[in-house]
Amino acid sequence: TKFGNIKTIKLSPWLEKGRVFKSNYGAYIWVTADQMSIPVKIEMPILVGSIYVKLISCKNTLFTLKK
């Protein structure tokens, strides 16, 4: 990330295939591996492409992001 290397946990939620999503799998969410569990990155395939979300700023958190 633009914050440097951060320890994260990679999650893969189960999706409901059909109206919005291409399949039941393929989405990934990376959250920080600390007490705050801040979402850092999200990748989600949809019927007409994909959605990509990245954390660009972070303020007023209880702890600093650990590298």
Side-chain angles (χ1 to χ4, degrees):
T1 68
K2 70 183 245 177
F3 305 105
N5 292 331
I6 300 173
K7 290 185 179 184
T8 60
I9 300 170
K10 185 177 178 181
L11 307 169
S12 182
W14 186 259
L15 306 172
E16 186 177 337
K17 181 180 176 181
R19 296 175 62 188
V20 177
F21 302 110
K22 291 180 187 178
S23 63
N24 291 336
Y25 56 91
Y28 298 106
I29 301 171
W30 288 264
V31 297
T32 57
D34 57 15
Q35 297 170 348
M36 296 183 295
S37 298
I38 297 172
V40 177
K41 182 178 177 182
I42 300 171
E43 291 182 4
M44 196 168 291
I46 56 175
L47 290 174
V48 292
S50 295
I51 297 172
Y52 298 98
V53 179
K54 291 184 180 181
L55 180 67
I56 58 170
S57 69
C58 186
K59 60 183 178 179
N60 297 328
T61 60
L62 298 174
F63 309 98
T64 58
L65 292 176
K66 295 182 181 178
K67 293 182 179 182

